[in-house]
């Protein structure tokens, strides 16, 4: 469960700020109160982990002045203004400056809770995107985020770095669960638009009318955000499930693209998630739109084509979950390693994440095996069969590499400790580490 967002309440009237605080605290928010704008500015800065609710009329620094200061420090910080009767011009001015919304006294507490929920959800998404951008702000970070040493992953990382520097629109294709949205974030983070808007919209998550309004406008009285094409101006607009766009929506999107010129003011990253056999993104979109979006294209590899990356990912994920749940990571047998490698993985990395968490929880209870979890996911899978028909030698080598890698990390690069645990002479260990591309310096 994610940590509760903070709500900073700014009001010169003690009774008002305390009553708002008590009401929102009952809704699960972590509130803090301030008697003046000056006091609030001492705490609320850029990347503040929450939102602000402020009265508009206060002695000294009023709400409008506070709003200007807050927007100057972090223009994406949601600020809800409380206005009195007859303050409509001030409310309009606040919205023009960048206020998230306003409440008119006397206001309905439920309406305030509803606005707080919308604002904190928007703030959480903003902060998550910033954290991801920071994490992916250089090539080294991308290498650590996009785990894997398979040729397919090395090509993918190169594509992200190369296409991230380009200006053209990008089409990302791949099976469900392969991490296409992560790739979209990475493309934005390593390019020249990294410090600009990143707007993500799922074309399959809303009905046609809502989608068209959210994407192109016009705004409705209760809308709190600009249409996506306006909100993303100068930055990146990511359209998940692009194949779900109707013919009329595709035509309008093409018109927007054509009006932008070259290079485009706003970069569009389209994510295609087709699962029907024999159906492609090219066949799902009108040809002129497809070729505009697919000027640059990335195909994210399915997990089953990533070889030993499967074991590397499983190990990292199970270690993360074991730390989260306060227990030891499950030990993987040679048979289970082979089964992980030969499983069909229709849900790809997302399925592997779920399986790793279940394996840790199962291990904490002291019952069950990884093989049983795999069989429950793939009832048709035979334990002794392989989907790719690989020789036994490849599975043995993959398991051996995983075993040495895990042991080296557990002992933080202590060769003597690894030799003792695996009962290997130093020369043999050195030879195997060289064979599998493992270096002691990576574990120190």
């Amino acid at each position: 469960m994610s940590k509760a967002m903070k709500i900073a309440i700014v009001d010169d009237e003690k009774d008002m700020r305390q009553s708002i605080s008590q009401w929102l605290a009952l809704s699960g928010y972590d509130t803090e109160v301030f008697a003046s704008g000056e006091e609030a500015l001492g705490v609320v800065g850029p990347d503040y982990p929450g939102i602000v609710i402020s009265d508009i009329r206060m002695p000294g620094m009023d709400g409008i002045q506070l709003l200007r200061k807050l927007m100057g420090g972090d223009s994406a910080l949601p600020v809800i203004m409380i206005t009195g009767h007859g303050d409509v011009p001030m409310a309009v001015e606040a919205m023009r400056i960048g206020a998230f919304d306003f409440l008119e006294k006397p206001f309905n507490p439920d309406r305030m809770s509803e606005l707080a929920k919308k604002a904190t959800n928007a703030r959480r998404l903003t902060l998550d995107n910033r954290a991801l951008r920071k994490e992916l702000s250089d090539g080294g970070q991308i290498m650590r985020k996009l785990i894997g040493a398979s040729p397919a992953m090395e090509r993918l990382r190169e594509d992200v770095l190369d296409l991230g520097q380009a200006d053209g629109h990008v089409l990302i294709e791949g099976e469900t669960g392969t991490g296409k949205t992560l790739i979209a974030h990475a493309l934005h983070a390593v390019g020249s638009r990294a410090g600009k808007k990143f707007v993500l919209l799922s074309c399959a998550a809303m009905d046609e009318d809502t989608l068209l309004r959210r994407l192109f406008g016009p705004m409705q009285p209760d809308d709190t955000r600009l249409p996506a094409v306006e909100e993303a101006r100068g930055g990146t607009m990511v359209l998940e499930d692009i194949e779900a766009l109707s013919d009329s929506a595709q035509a309008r999107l093409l018109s927007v693209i054509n009006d932008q010129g070259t290079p485009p003011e706003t970069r569009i990253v389209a994510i295609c998630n087709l699962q029907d056999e024999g159906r492609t993104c090219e066949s799902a979109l009108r040809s002129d739109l497809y070729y505009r979006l697919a000027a640059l294209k990335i195909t994210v590899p399915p997990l089953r084509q990533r070889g030993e990356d499967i074991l590397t990912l499983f190990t990292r994920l199970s270690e993360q979950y074991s730390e989260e749940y306060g227990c030891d990571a499950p030990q993987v047998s040679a048979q289970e390693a082979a089964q992980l490698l030969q499983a069909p993985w229709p849900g790809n990395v997302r399925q592997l994440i779920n399986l790793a968490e279940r394996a840790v929880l199962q291990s904490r209870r002291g019952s069950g095996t990884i093989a049983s979890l795999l069989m429950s996911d793939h009832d048709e899978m035979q334990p002794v069969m392989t989907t790719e028909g690989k020789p036994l030698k490849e599975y043995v080598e993959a398991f051996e590499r995983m075993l040495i890698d895990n042991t080296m990390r557990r002992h933080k690069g202590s060769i003597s400790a690894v030799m003792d645990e695996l009962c290997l002479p130093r020369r043999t260990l050195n030879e195997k580490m060289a064979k599998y591309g493992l270096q002691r310096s990576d574990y120190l």
Side-chain angles (χ1 to χ4, degrees):
M1 186 175 180
S2 59
K3 187 177 180 181
M5 297 289 283
K6 287 181 176 292
I7 298 184
I9 300 158
V10 190
D11 199 306
D12 62 304
E13 296 181 18
K14 183 178 179 180
D15 290 345
M16 177 61 76
R17 61 178 180 264
Q18 287 186 342
S19 64
I20 293 174
S21 175
Q22 289 169 2
W23 177 263
L24 292 174
L26 289 173
S27 299
Y29 294 105
D30 181 6
T31 63
E32 47 189 348
V33 296
F34 304 96
S36 68
E38 292 89 348
E39 188 181 331
L41 288 173
V43 175
V44 182
D47 294 324
Y48 177 71
I51 67 168
V52 176
I53 296 178
S54 174
D55 194 6
I56 207 165
R57 287 190 181 275
M58 296 184 290
M61 178 183 288
D62 65 20
I64 294 293
Q65 293 171 312
L66 173 61
L67 177 63
R68 290 185 191 278
K69 291 278 189 181
L70 293 173
M71 292 296 97
D74 186 347
S75 62
L77 174 66
V79 180
I80 298 171
M81 307 302 296
I82 298 176
T83 68
H85 181 68
D87 285 341
V88 174
M90 294 184 75
V92 172
E93 174 67 3
M95 295 296 287
R96 188 190 67 78
I97 295 170
F100 185 83
D101 212 322
F102 67 92
L103 285 165
E104 187 174 359
K105 296 177 184 177
F107 54 82
N108 183 331
D110 290 327
R111 170 62 177 161
M112 180 177 63
S113 296
E114 179 187 337
L115 274 181
K117 181 179 180 180
K118 287 183 179 179
T120 51
N121 285 341
R123 185 59 170 170
R124 184 175 285 109
L125 180 60
T126 295
L127 295 178
D128 286 348
N129 286 341
R130 285 181 185 172
L132 186 57
R133 272 206 304 273
K134 185 176 180 181
E135 195 173 345
L136 299 177
S137 61
D138 61 68
Q141 289 285 2
I142 287 181
M143 297 299 181
R144 285 188 283 276
K145 190 72 177 180
L146 303 178
I147 297 171
S150 63
M153 284 304 293
E154 289 185 2
R155 284 195 301 272
L156 179 61
R157 285 192 291 267
E158 290 172 359
D159 285 345
V160 168
L161 291 170
D162 289 343
L163 272 58
Q165 299 301 315
D167 269 324
H169 306 305
V170 181
L171 178 67
I172 302 176
E173 293 183 313
E175 296 178 8
T176 183
T178 49
K180 297 184 292 297
T181 301
L182 172 64
I183 300 302
H185 278 284
L187 284 170
H188 177 76
V190 301
S192 60
R193 303 173 192 261
K196 299 179 181 178
K197 285 282 189 176
F198 179 93
V199 177
L200 179 68
L201 192 66
S202 172
C203 301
M206 53 193 85
D207 61 71
E208 174 81 0
D209 290 341
T210 305
L211 175 62
L212 288 174
R213 190 174 75 248
R214 176 70 186 93
L215 190 52
F216 306 110
M219 295 179 66
Q220 299 297 310
D222 59 343
D223 286 336
T224 57
R225 301 171 69 181
L226 291 171
V229 293
E230 294 295 329
E231 187 182 358
R233 188 176 296 278
T236 302
M237 181 170 69
V238 179
L239 299 178
E240 291 181 320
D241 303 303
I242 187 73
E243 71 280 358
L245 283 181
S246 66
D247 290 342
S248 60
Q250 289 185 39
R252 291 185 67 177
L253 179 61
L254 180 63
S255 178
V256 169
I257 292 173
N258 289 335
D259 289 344
Q260 287 196 82
T262 306
E265 181 182 15
T266 302
R267 186 180 211 185
I268 296 174
V269 177
I271 296 176
C272 192
N273 192 33
L274 286 172
Q275 300 179 53
D276 299 340
E277 290 187 11
R279 191 166 178 239
T280 65
C281 191
E282 184 175 358
S283 65
L285 299 177
R286 50 186 292 164
S287 60
D288 44 6
L289 176 61
Y290 173 81
Y291 288 114
R292 293 301 300 272
L293 294 175
L296 303 170
K297 186 160 69 170
I298 289 180
T299 301
V300 185
L303 186 59
R304 62 182 174 276
Q305 293 180 5
R306 293 177 54 183
E308 293 178 30
D309 288 354
I310 296 169
L311 298 183
T312 302
L313 281 165
F314 181 82
T315 299
R316 301 284 176 86
L317 290 165
S318 60
E319 287 178 348
Q320 289 171 12
Y321 280 121
S322 65
E323 183 176 341
E324 180 180 335
Y325 290 113
C327 60
D328 293 331
Q331 297 299 307
V332 181
S333 68
Q335 168 112 0
E336 288 170 331
Q339 289 177 317
L340 285 168
L341 287 168
Q342 63 93 31
W345 299 112
N348 292 290
V349 177
R350 193 177 301 145
Q351 181 186 354
L352 182 62
I353 291 171
N354 294 336
L355 183 120
E357 182 174 19
R358 288 158 56 204
V360 168
L361 291 172
Q362 184 176 255
S363 176
R364 186 173 67 168
R365 293 195 303 269
S367 63
T369 63
I370 294 170
S372 66
L373 294 175
L374 275 170
M375 292 300 289
S376 68
D377 279 353
H378 311 293
D379 293 335
E380 77 287 354
M381 190 179 77
Q382 299 298 316
V384 297
M385 299 298 290
T386 67
T387 56
E388 301 294 335
K390 294 178 180 178
L392 177 63
K393 179 173 177 290
E394 287 192 28
Y395 291 111
V396 172
E397 289 178 346
F399 176 71
E400 196 170 60
R401 184 189 188 283
M402 180 195 70
L403 197 59
I404 295 172
D405 178 49
N406 289 352
T407 311
M408 286 292 290
R409 267 188 293 112
R410 193 163 57 252
H411 292 295
K412 296 180 171 57
S414 172
I415 296 295
S416 58
V418 174
M419 289 165 53
D420 289 343
E421 181 170 332
L422 299 182
C423 300
L424 287 174
R426 187 180 189 98
R427 179 177 177 181
T428 303
L429 178 59
N430 288 343
E431 289 175 349
K432 289 185 180 296
M433 288 182 66
K435 175 181 179 181
Y436 299 131
L438 303 175
Q439 299 181 18
R440 180 173 177 266
S441 60
D442 293 335
Y443 304 94
L444 298 176

